[in-house]
Structures are given as structure tokens and as C-alpha cells.
Amino acid sequence: MSAPSAPPLKLLPLILANAACMMAMNAFIALLAPLARTLALNEWQAGASVTVAGVLWFLLARPWGRLSDRWGRKRVIATGIAGFAAAYLALAAGIHWALLTLPGTLAGFLLLLAGRGAIGAFYAAIPAAANAMIADRTPVERRAAAMATLGASSAIGLVLGPSLAGWLVGGGLVLPLYAMAGLAVVALIVAIYGLPGGDAPLAPRDATPVRMGDPRLRMPVVVALVAMGSVAIAQICVGFYAMDRWGLSREHAGRVAGYALTAVGVALIAAQVGVRRLQWPPHVLIRRGAVVAMLGFLVAGFTAAPWQLIASYFVMALGMGLVFPAFSAMAANAVAAHEQGTVAGTVSAAQGIGMVLGPLAGTLLYGIAPAVPFVVGALMLASIAFWVGTAREPAVARPADEAA
């Protein structure tokens, strides 16, 4: 499509709101292990409480995106953040009660499952409507850069959330949860007063719904699925790899994993900020980013020392930092204005599938040999680089497409 007629979008409020919610999402992960031990939960129960958020993200991303085509982007973002904040506060209060009363394993498990499920269900609205808002108000040639800025804010939340939770946990396990719920309220205020309203082009009543398998979206959806699945494989395997490869203690392996994931966050920020300067089209970003990430995966599978593992994670994240904003921009460029919300939700749903399948595939492959998940991740990324590199450059929707 052509450059949007809506006024240019001021990204700062969107960046702040998204970063705050991502901080809250990832802060919980840092608290999961001690919470699970205190509530006498098994590892699979703790893992299920994380997976359920990904499942609901996948299921609801497209409906939220479609709703933003009719309600408006700001209204959906604000609704998502409000529900996210309420769900987080309810989870914090529920865990506070559980820690005081120790109601039993089943009750603790159901509490985490319900709380994380509600958080994931409302969070699904935020990236779908946020990317559609950027597509509405950003010219084609600048979309990848703008979406990279949004991605950098997610990476900041990925890094700062667990760090802040670790700092606050000295005041008890529930203090970080209440603090993150408060942070989500701040995000809601920023969204209400900082984001523009009335910006969604309403979808015509007779418009054909965008299907998950729409040919225009085949490439960005597959790339999104593979990219998020690869990231999830790397996340789930890093701690086990550090223990099994070098015989590290749980505490030492946990530190190595923490350093590796911090390196991931730093690399994502660096890469996605760099996208703004490179101004490469989406298909070039995907091809080159996938090659860089592939090299990181290959090195990770055969490292000889922990520092090499950390460095390899930095390299793989540097490549992923080019890929992530590119597939969102590629999808947005392929469709008309009234389809942006549904399409952003479709891409977000593909990421949700990757977030669900990646950990499962990673643990199954790890059971074969510690290096296997990394080799498979490298092969998937190599396939993506080859496909995108040899395919015809994706078409960009023209103004006539929007009038149809």
C-alpha cells in the first residue's frame, strides 16, 4: 500500500507501553522456579503455566487483530493492557493467598494456569494492534525500521523484567508480582493518554476475511513460525546444555543461562536499532538475518566453554533481531489498510505457535543429543534463508488494492 494518510505515529508512547508489558511478562519467568518449589509443583506443571499463555496468544491474536480493524487500534491496545493489568493483579493476589495458606499442589497449579492463561489472552491484543497501528501510520519504506523500534522495546522488557524481579524478590516472592501489576497500570495510562485514536480503517462489511493460509502471507507466516520456534528451542535448552556439557551445578548453570539470555536481549536491542539505519527491505533483512542466526546456532551446538555458548547466543540473537521486524513489515506491506489488524494478528498467532511447539521440539531433540536442537535450528534457518533468497521479491499492495 502507499504511505498512509493518517498523521505520522509518535512511537514513544507505544514503545513505553509495550516495554512495560513485556517486562511484566518476563518477570514472572524469573520467579517461576521458586514459586513452583514453594507450592510443591512439578517441573511439568510449572512449564504448563508458561505454555498456556502461548496457546491463548496463538488462539486469540487473530480475533484481537480483526477486532482492531473495526474498533480501532488504540481501543484494542487499551483493552488488552487493562485486562493484562487486572489479570496480573489477580494472579499476584492469588499467589499471595497461596503462599500464606499452602492450599495444595492442585490448587496452586490451577491458580498459576488460570492466571497465566488470562495474562496471555489479554497480552495477545497488544502486539497485534500495535503492529497494525504502525502499518497504518508508517510509509512502506519505513515500516521495518518502525517495527524494529517496537521490537527493541520488547527486547528491553525481556532484559529488564527478570532483572527487576530479581532485585525486588528480596522483599518476598509476591512483591515483584504486585510491582509488575502496577507497571501494567502505568502502561495503560501511557496508552490512553499517549496513543492516537480513531486511526483504524474500518473493514468493509462485504470484505473477504483474511485466511491464515492466505497466499500473500505464506512467507511471513512461515518465517515467523520458524523464527519464534528457533528462539524457543534455544531458550529451553540453554540451562540443560550448560549442566550436561560441562557438568556445572544447577546454580552455576543458571548463571550461565542468565548471562546467555541477557546477551540475547542486548543483541536484539542492538540489531533492531541497527535496522533503522540499514533501511534494507524486509526480504533482505530476513535472508541476511537468518544466515547470521544460523551461524550462532551451529556454534552453540559445539561450544567448548561457557563463554563461547554466551557468545553464540549473542550472534544468533543478532541475526534474529534482523528477522523479527522484517516478517512483520513484509506481511503489512502485502495487504490493504482495512486488513492490517487481522494480518498483524495472523503473524502474531504464528509466533504463538512457535512459542508452543519450540519448547516441546527442543526438549524432545535434546533427548537425542545435546547438540541436536541447535543443529536442527540451524537447518531450519538455512532453509528460510534459501527460500527467501531464491523467491521473487514479495509484492507490495498498491492504493488500488485498498479501494477494492
Side-chain angles (χ1 to χ4, degrees):
M1 56 178 282
S2 61
S5 58
L9 175 65
K10 293 181 179 179
L11 285 173
L12 184 60
L14 196 60
I15 289 169
L16 293 175
N18 183 65
C21 290
M22 185 57 72
M23 283 177 65
M25 278 287 283
N26 287 281
F28 178 84
I29 304 300
L31 302 170
L32 183 58
L35 282 172
R37 289 288 183 264
T38 305
L39 298 175
L41 301 182
N42 296 319
E43 285 78 5
W44 73 266
Q45 292 173 313
S49 70
V50 176
T51 299
V52 70
V55 170
L56 286 167
W57 179 8
F58 155 61
L59 292 175
L60 296 177
R62 274 174 56 84
W64 278 119
R66 191 160 53 244
L67 191 62
S68 80
D69 285 334
R70 299 188 179 279
W71 271 16
R73 317 302 186 203
K74 178 178 179 177
R75 188 175 176 186
V76 168
I77 291 172
T79 301
I81 297 175
F84 179 90
Y88 218 109
L89 181 60
L91 177 62
I95 290 176
H96 195 174
W97 166 80
L99 293 176
L100 291 174
T101 61
L102 298 177
T105 300
L106 179 60
F109 175 54
L110 293 177
L111 174 65
L112 288 185
L113 210 61
R116 284 292 294 180
I119 287 169
F122 283 105
Y123 179 77
I126 301 169
N131 277 297
M133 178 177 279
I134 289 175
D136 290 342
R137 293 173 172 268
T138 309
V140 168
E141 64 275 10
R142 292 176 50 202
R143 279 185 186 152
M147 289 174 177
T149 303
L150 186 67
S153 73
S154 296
I156 290 170
L158 175 69
V159 174
L160 294 184
S163 300
L164 183 58
W167 182 67
L168 291 174
V169 79
L173 284 173
V174 295
L175 178 59
L177 296 173
Y178 283 123
M180 293 302 115
L183 191 62
V185 173
V186 173
L188 177 61
I189 294 171
V190 169
I192 290 173
Y193 292 101
L195 295 180
D199 57 331
L202 297 180
R205 291 186 178 276
D206 58 349
T208 303
V210 179
R211 296 177 290 107
M212 190 79 174
D214 191 308
R216 296 172 297 173
L217 304 181
R218 187 172 296 126
M219 183 175 288
V221 164
V222 172
V223 172
L225 173 61
V226 169
M228 183 57 80
S230 300
V231 168
I233 287 173
Q235 286 179 327
I236 200 71
C237 291
V238 61
F240 295 111
Y241 190 86
M243 285 189 288
D244 297 337
R245 179 75 169 170
W246 301 292
L248 302 181
S249 66
R250 292 181 182 179
E251 293 76 14
H252 193 180
R255 286 196 296 273
V256 171
Y259 294 147
L261 295 178
T262 299
V264 166
V266 173
L268 285 174
I269 294 169
Q272 296 184 10
V273 169
V275 169
R276 294 182 62 85
R277 298 181 179 275
L278 294 171
Q279 296 295 322
W280 290 341
H283 69 286
V284 174
L285 286 168
I286 291 172
R287 185 176 70 245
R288 295 179 180 176
V291 169
V292 173
M294 176 198 70
L295 294 175
F297 270 85
L298 281 178
V299 172
F302 302 97
T303 50
W307 72 265
Q308 295 175 1
L309 181 67
I310 295 167
S312 68
Y313 268 63
F314 182 90
V315 172
M316 68 173 69
L318 207 58
M320 288 301 186
L322 303 182
V323 172
F324 272 85
F327 61 66
S328 295
M330 181 183 286
N333 292 350
V335 300
H338 68 270
E339 300 172 307
Q340 290 293 344
T342 305
V343 166
T346 300
V347 173
S348 187
Q351 292 178 262
I353 297 173
M355 196 172 86
V356 172
L357 296 182
L360 177 61
T363 51
L364 290 174
L365 292 169
Y366 190 87
I368 300 172
V372 171
F374 298 102
V375 173
V376 170
L379 290 174
M380 290 194 301
L381 291 166
S383 300
I384 288 297
F386 178 78
W387 179 33
V388 175
T390 56
R392 186 174 59 185
E393 183 175 346
V396 175
R398 299 179 300 276
D401 299 324
E402 296 181 26

